[in-house]
Amino acid sequence: MPHSNCHRLNILPRIFASLSLLLCLLMQGVPVRAEPGERWAGMTHTAFKRYVHNDISSGLCFAQDAQGFIWIGTQSGLTRWDGNRHVKYVADARDDALPDSYIISVHVDSRGRLWAGMNSGGLARYDPEHDNFVRYRASPTGLRDPRVAAMADDGEGGLWIATGSGLDHLAADGRFTRRGDSWGATALPEGGIDTLVRDADGALWVGTRRGLFQLQQDQPARPVPLAGKSGIAIGVLFKDSAGRLWIGSRTSGAFVLAPGAAVAAPVLESGAQPTLQNERISAIVEAAPGEIWFGTDGANGGIVVLDVEHGTSRRIRHRADTPDSLADNDVMAMFMERSGIIYASDMAGISQHAPKPRAVATIRHVDAARSGVASVPGVMVAPDGRLWLGMISGGIDIIDPYQGYSSRLAASAGLPQGRVLTLVTGPGGDVYLGTQHGLFRAGADGRSAQRLPLPQRRAEEEVYALAVAGNTLWLGGLDGLWGFDLTPGAAPRLLRHEAKNLGDSRVTAILPAGDDVWVGTRTGLARVSADAVEAIPTDLATPDRLPPGYVSSLLLDQAGRLWLSNFGTGVVIMERTDADGRRRFRRIGMQQGLPDSGANKLLQDAQGMVWASTDAGLARIDPRSLAVRALGPGEGVDVPTYWTNSGAVTPAGELVFGGLSGLTVVRPKALVDWHYTPPVVVTRIQLNDKEVPIGPYNAGLAGKAAPITVTTAARERGFSVEFAALDYSAPERNRYAYQLKGFDRHWVDSEATSRRASYNNLPPGDYVLQLRGSNRNGEWAAPLEVPVRVLPAWHQEPVARLAMIALVLVLGAGLVQMRTAFLRRRQRELEAMVEARTAELRATQAQLETLAYGDPLTGLANRRLFNDELRHLVAQAERGGPAFTLLLIDLDRFKPVNDTYGHDAGDALLAATADHLRAAVREADRPFRLGGDEFAVLLNRTGNSEMLEPVCTRILAHLASPLPHGDAVIAISASIGAAVYREGDSHEQLYKRADVALYEAKAAGRDSWRLAD
């Protein structure tokens, strides 16, 4: 952390003043503010996974039952959730249903029973054995009020119940009493109790609209002042792991009551404009020891995260430009389930966050004041520890890991317009910048830059790779490899230039290694020594040879082995060199566990592990065993795709990868394995197409529960059992398998999206259905056993079988002759049926092909046909065919059309867009609908911007035509990203370039088009 120097004479008074202030604040119980010491703390993005569904919207309360299900009380019912599927219970006139759908409290008692408190329906207990509810209504001998706002265990198997009229007690034997009266509850102010917490010693903390009170048996209610004030309306109470009571008020922010303290201290929000003290606190959770989250729904809103030790805070808020930000700033409730996942509810759904992956931090916004997520094609760590980031929008942002955004180096300071492609620190501390318009040099302070003329190289030539060894600067571009002497005080002097000898003059990566320089190109690898150049032969078919492809980065591991990342193959290691000089390689791809075959940047941590950024997350590779561990959102890797050769290692040992939607910072030493063992539960049973209660099979009885009994009438339809492993961190990565013992010989794998075991027409007998699930890392939990019994049909009884055998013997002789005649007649009928069926199948096949390759809404060809056509055009171009262009088209602000006018209007707009595209392009061009509001066009025989300009302008003009819809007129625009095929492009690379151009068009204000570089 940077420090400022001062004279010793000035230190002592400051120390004594600081200690005095600290002691004073501690005596008052106020959180102490200190300098933050954690790197990246002020910049780290808190990522959420959003779940939007009517069944989980407007959640007011959460609970997790003994089996691991999460229950969400909403304004329109009670929902059970397993991370994949929702089951909603609503009010019904039946005596065993909920009496009220407005659920304001849920609680799981010491016996594992789930209770729901309602706004006007009293109390209900869920009966899992029968999948219904037991009601407890307001009555003279029952609840005193139908509003149940909170519940707490009484330590004796019963419940304390906070109602709209005071405190009730439900004993373990099911009897209601007014026992709270002997606890001083009669002295509480009118209006009832809104929140309730029970201490380990039995004392009750009661939050009301007129203040906070402590209740103890045979003692009067004790009011608890909040920062010296009484009568503040309380909305939520929470007891943390250190015994502190956190108090959320309805109008005056949050307070904390330390153990043994008589007065609660206010929670102070840090920052320039704190507003917490005037906001409503809707929820409180402890994300980690010493880290408290306050959900608010005030004017500022969001979640305030308090670091208790340092007394500092930060605020998590929704950002419209960040899809994985908090879904809404009006937080209604929060909850932490037992594996550590935090849920925050809002009117539309819930936001899920996993706070435990401390090893990975995501930086979405380098400068919080600027809109749009950061896209970082270049990363460099300067000698002073600051990071220089080349941004997709142009220029360089400089950040300090402790202080955050530092400064920006842009065109106004001497940089050209366009992108900085690579950065490196050179002799004397200057920073050399490879750009789309040549080489530039900046001072270490990052205040200005100027072009650096190079002998014999065009000034405007692109620079794709830079490396420094001593006073030598190695530079790579489309014109080969260049070496320049950068002796301080002298002009750059050309030392070497290699182009055709490299095998491919388009240099993408450079790695000096002793007296040699390894050079990665768009098609392979070369070694440049003092007196020779070795172009490594490529061979895709031979596993131990270098595969051809774009080399995105190079690395030497601690054992001296050369590693390279490659588009299409993944990671490649040079294992040895034979006596005849032949190089031998080892490939690591998706089959070995890499998340994606497109690898972008290799870095090595202090422990020797090699890390790779890919187009689908990160991977850590053990150089000794070559074991691969993939990291994704479950581990905190919330940037899915990364830039080529964008990454660096900080002096603190962190690995920094530049991505298309942010910066990923990895602390390798803090990475821990996820060993949470999720419970495996049955989530749904259907027997002969009828629902069966699942509770008995999740009650811990193993195979002792009553079997699923399949009668003769139900054998044909059979039964199906849906199940889930309740690891909520990344449910899409959980693995599943099932086996019906006595029928299946092996485990049957099931997809995470289905998780269903189905059987019909089983032979009579007793079976055991074993259900197995894993956590996100594939570690299996103990199987859940469900007994199954299939009853025999009448004809399967022993007596019936003997009678049938006798009958068969008597009729056998006659049947032989009848069978012969029948078979001849049947043969003729079957031949006629085969002919008719063949004709039907041909017609069906033609119809299926039309459905498989066409979009039913717009009539355009779909993504599947688009992929086939794109591959075909690339293959033609590789064989000398004509040039072509890929246009990716995205409708601007399409979602508000659906939200404002409805999905019918959205469908009509998509159909009109297809008509406009057909009218705007030539007959030789092919439009496609890729899905949603995404379209594409393949333009034949186009190869430059002059040819594209009229086409794109025409498309934009057509798509801007207003669409009448009812009484309204819908006007919308579009953005276009264009990429012209270049020699050596694969279809994935061409698509990626067009996608980047589309992003630039949107960033430029939409209703425009951009041509990819």
Side-chain angles (χ1 to χ4, degrees), residues 26 58 146 171 255 264 398 422 508 554 585 590 626 647 708 844 932 964:
L26 285 174
S58 64
F255 302 84
I398 303 176
T422 180
T508 56
L554 299 166
F585 294 85
M590 295 181 68
L626 300 186
I708 298 174
T844 302

Side-chain angles (χ1 to χ4, degrees), residues 350-619:
I350 57 177
S351 300
Q352 173 182 314
H353 172 69
K356 287 189 175 179
R358 303 290 184 179
V360 182
T362 301
I363 299 172
R364 285 271 191 259
H365 307 275
V366 173
D367 182 2
R370 296 207 304 263
S371 63
V373 298
S375 187
V376 189
V379 177
M380 184 203 75
V381 179
D384 62 4
R386 296 188 301 171
L387 270 72
W388 292 45
L389 308 177
M391 310 302 289
I392 186 66
S393 56
I396 295 170
D397 282 347
I398 303 176
I399 61 174
D400 184 287
Y402 291 102
Q403 304 299 330
Y405 178 76
S406 177
S407 61
R408 179 168 174 78
L409 182 61
S412 59
L415 274 183
Q417 296 290 341
R419 191 181 307 162
V420 176
L421 303 173
T422 180
L423 312 85
V424 67
T425 302
D430 288 340
V431 178
Y432 293 84
L433 312 173
T435 77
Q436 293 175 313
H437 301 283
L439 183 67
F440 285 74
R441 180 169 59 190
D445 56 9
R447 295 181 179 177
S448 62
Q450 58 280 331
R451 183 182 298 280
L452 181 62
L454 298 174
Q456 301 185 31
R457 190 174 193 269
R458 288 196 319 113
E460 291 283 339
E461 193 71 35
E462 292 175 312
V463 178
Y464 279 94
L466 291 173
V468 170
N471 287 331
T472 301
L473 173 70
W474 294 100
L475 179 151
L478 301 180
D479 55 349
L481 175 72
W482 301 75
F484 296 98
D485 178 67
L486 296 181
T487 300
R493 179 171 59 88
L494 178 64
L495 300 176
R496 188 163 185 173
H497 179 218
E498 298 289 347
K500 294 182 179 180
N501 292 337
L502 300 173
D504 186 338
S505 62
R506 299 170 299 175
V507 174
T508 56
I510 304 172
L511 177 64
D515 296 331
D516 296 336
V517 178
W518 290 100
V519 181
T521 71
R522 294 195 177 184
T523 57
L525 178 69
R527 180 182 64 88
V528 177
S529 62
D531 53 0
V533 176
E534 175 191 4
I536 311 297
T538 60
D539 184 353
L540 183 61
T542 306
D544 65 349
R545 301 299 297 275
L546 177 69
Y550 188 113
V551 176
S552 53
S553 70
L554 299 166
L555 173 78
L556 279 180
D557 67 14
Q558 293 179 352
R561 292 183 301 178
L562 179 69
W563 295 56
L564 60 92
S565 54
N566 177 300
F567 286 168
T569 301
V571 176
V572 181
I573 309 169
M574 183 186 293
E575 291 199 307
R576 68 180 190 278
T577 302
D578 293 343
D580 59 359
R582 179 172 294 182
R583 309 286 189 177
R584 300 291 183 181
F585 294 85
R586 172 76 69 89
R587 304 176 187 179
I588 301 176
M590 295 181 68
Q591 289 184 343
Q592 290 73 38
L594 211 62
D596 193 86
S597 59
N600 297 297
K601 178 65 176 178
L602 296 174
L603 295 174
Q604 189 168 30
D605 64 27
Q607 291 73 45
M609 295 292 182
V610 175
W611 293 72
S613 64
T614 77
D615 285 348
L618 300 181

